Amino acid sequence: MHTLSYLSDVIGPRLTASPNMKRANEWTRDTMTKWGLENAHLEAWGPFGRGWSLERFSAQVTDPQDIPLIAYPKAWSPGTNGPLSAEAVYFDAKDENDMARFKGQLKGKIVLTSAMREVKAHFESQGTRRDEKNLLALANAPMPRPSGRGGFGGNRSAEFLALAQFNAKKNQFLRDEGAALLVDSSRGDGGTIFVQSATVPQPFSPNAFGPNAPRRINPYDKDAPKFLPQIVVAVEHYNRIARMIQAGEKVKMEVNLAVEWQDQDLNGYNTVAEIPGSDPQLKDQIVMLGGHMDSWHSGTGATDNGAGVAVAMEAVRVIQTLGLKPRRTIRVALWTGEEQGLLGSRAYVAEHFGKLETPTTTATASPGGSDGAATTPPPPVLIKMAEYDKLAGYFNLDNGTGKIRGVYLQANDGIGALFRQWLAPFRDLGAETLSLSNTGGTDHLSFDGIGLPGFQFIQDEIEYDSRTHHSNMDVFDRIQGDDMKQAATIMAAFVYNTAMRDEKLPRKPEPGK
């Protein structure tokens, strides 16, 4: 718990490429070196883009009365160049035609950009653990269907695309009209604010996440065009301001947002350290474990994902302190850039293990093709790097503070019997469920995507989605200490067992085979 407290309380939020992120990289490297791990170092990836840190922030209503606001700036938002005092306007346009009534009305104004949201009472606890019904459903989950090649953009509904198109036009309109600052209403309530990244106005693309999608402009890009300062306000305060404006009040707000950009080093860094293998025949093989160390900025990144980092570090500390001699090398990696798309782990995997590349040959026409017919790109080809055949397995933790309840097998049905044996000693600690299901959104996907055995543990929810994930309540006080100790114990056991086997973990077929 000392590791997690220092990482979250002392170092604090760790936005990718920020000074706090670099400090965390160096502190974890130095800490693991003190524990006796070898080859502890920072490994660069990128380029990523600009770092960003918050220097000063306050927000309040000043007229017709003073109302302090619960609010946070969005990451990579520009500053206001000193206190900004301006009239607040509630931008409640329903469609593109409706935006016309705001033409010429927004210059220099603070603009509330989202619709009011009803706040309902919570009659059930926001903190939960997986019950027998939930675990049984996971255990009985069927083999996942192979994923398609259409990317994330292939199955978007017409309603979703229409909303995305309207939002793109709205963002451009607000900038063109000269608004001074944009205010969004937060997801969450009761003082919990979920905050992520600022938005850069850019043209709408219906294929924004699919293959051949246009490059998206990110607020951290060094060459990003100028865009407006952006903040998020607690829903209860946001709704009140909007209702006051609707009642005819002239509402004035004051926002002071000072930020600092870091653009001298555009790279991100992963922290890596090792316990060397002892078997002359197996020491060149690798067992990996880890979690992402970057976080969002309104909290301190305790549950997302200081928890996973601390568990991985504790697992290797236990193995090292006990004087165990793993046959294979154990390598711990603490990733960055996960919140922006698994960037650190993807870069590491591409450099050390392999990557999928689409051949540059001419695409083939679809059946029944003619002039103008859709074409099908050739399937991607796996390009193996030096350590592809040396990886025995990778274990990841990144679903908050909840204890481990089992393992997602990622459709690797050849490994279930082995993992069931390894979980048996921990049944009394609540860890016994194996699910063929895939789970997404974190760094094991970088390994699994090229056919390597990469796994995320099943965890109890606790308050992850309801309270702490990407919010200002992602702080050390929401950590469950006993759960963290249980998770570190199981992580250490799985890593050590993998390091001691005669064979590497069973693999799924390589992509394309």
Side-chain angles (χ1 to χ4, degrees), residues 153-314:
N155 296 314
R156 300 296 191 185
S157 68
E159 182 180 0
F160 175 91
L161 293 174
L163 179 60
Q165 184 174 23
F166 172 67
N167 285 335
K169 292 181 177 180
K170 178 178 74 172
N171 291 334
Q172 188 65 50
F173 179 84
L174 295 173
R175 187 178 71 172
D176 292 346
E177 287 297 303
L181 180 138
L182 307 182
V183 182
D184 278 350
S185 171
S186 172
R187 181 171 64 87
D189 55 49
T192 298
I193 297 184
F194 294 84
V195 191
Q196 292 180 245
S197 182
T199 299
V200 181
Q202 51 203 289
F204 166 74
S205 170
N207 191 34
F209 300 100
N212 305 315
R215 177 183 175 273
R216 184 162 185 82
I217 304 170
N218 299 299
Y220 47 78
D221 291 343
K222 189 173 183 179
D223 59 352
K226 289 185 177 181
F227 55 100
L228 300 176
Q230 298 165 40
I231 70 172
V232 176
V233 171
V235 62
E236 296 89 346
H237 289 174
Y238 183 97
N239 286 355
R240 180 184 178 187
I241 297 170
R243 288 192 296 266
M244 290 171 68
I245 294 171
Q246 288 182 328
E249 292 286 273
K250 293 291 186 181
V251 177
K252 193 172 184 180
M253 292 176 60
E254 182 176 289
V255 177
N256 187 9
L257 172 56
V259 304
E260 182 178 276
W261 299 90
Q262 297 88 32
D263 58 6
Q264 294 181 347
D265 183 357
L266 299 180
N267 285 329
Y269 295 86
N270 301 316
T271 302
V272 182
E274 294 179 338
I275 300 175
S278 61
D279 187 321
Q281 302 301 316
L282 297 178
K283 64 181 182 180
D284 288 339
Q285 296 183 14
I286 309 153
V287 183
M288 290 193 67
L289 70 158
H292 76 88
M293 191 159 49
D294 62 303
S295 76
W296 291 105
H297 57 296
S298 63
T300 61
T303 70
D304 185 27
N305 181 39
V309 168
V311 163
M313 290 177 68
E314 181 66 7

Side-chain angles (χ1 to χ4, degrees), residues 106-122:
L106 303 180
K107 187 174 181 61
K109 304 295 176 61
I110 294 174
V111 182
L112 281 65
T113 65
S114 50
M116 285 187 284
R117 175 171 62 84
E118 181 183 3
V119 180
K120 296 183 178 180
H122 296 281

Side-chain angles (χ1 to χ4, degrees), residues 143-144 408-417 419 435-438 448 451-455 505-509:
M143 176 68 74
Y408 293 102
L409 300 183
Q410 296 295 127
N412 186 342
D413 57 354
I415 208 166
F419 281 4
S435 178
L436 284 171
S437 300
N438 296 323
D448 183 70
L452 294 173
F455 305 98
L505 296 180
R507 296 185 177 188
K508 297 187 292 188

Side-chain angles (χ1 to χ4, degrees), residues 330-495:
I330 295 173
R331 182 183 297 170
V332 58
L334 310 177
W335 313 112
T336 62
E338 189 270 356
E339 297 292 3
Q340 290 72 48
L342 317 183
L343 300 180
S345 62
R346 289 192 190 279
Y348 185 90
V349 167
E351 182 172 347
H352 288 263
F353 301 114
K355 56 187 174 182
L356 293 175
E357 290 187 349
T358 301
T360 55
T361 56
T362 303
T364 57
S366 299
S370 58
D371 290 345
T375 58
T376 302
V381 174
L382 175 62
I383 307 298
K384 294 183 181 179
M385 306 306 286
E387 293 183 323
Y388 185 88
D389 293 319
K390 296 180 179 180
L391 184 75
Y394 171 75
F395 299 97
N396 193 78
L397 197 79
D398 179 25
N399 283 153
T401 186
K403 67 182 179 181
I404 288 174
R405 307 303 301 273
V407 188
Y408 293 102
L409 300 183
Q410 296 295 127
N412 186 342
D413 57 354
I415 208 166
L418 180 64
F419 281 4
R420 190 168 304 282
Q421 177 186 344
W422 290 359
L423 282 175
F426 305 108
R427 181 171 299 173
D428 290 345
L429 298 180
E432 59 178 331
T433 300
L434 297 175
S435 178
L436 284 171
S437 300
N438 296 323
T439 188
T442 188
D443 294 292
H444 70 292
L445 294 179
S446 299
F447 296 82
D448 183 70
I450 61 168
L452 294 173
F455 305 98
Q456 162 69 27
F457 290 98
I458 300 169
Q459 295 175 254
D460 275 338
E461 167 76 12
I462 312 297
E463 303 168 314
Y464 195 55
D465 287 331
S466 62
R467 188 107 191 245
T468 68
H469 186 223
H470 300 173
S471 85
N472 61 326
M473 295 298 170
D474 187 2
V475 294
F476 183 80
D477 295 281
R478 308 242 61 95
I479 291 292
Q480 307 299 304
D482 288 343
D483 288 34
M484 292 287 89
K485 295 170 187 176
Q486 182 255 28
T489 302
I490 295 175
M491 175 84 88
F494 268 65
V495 168

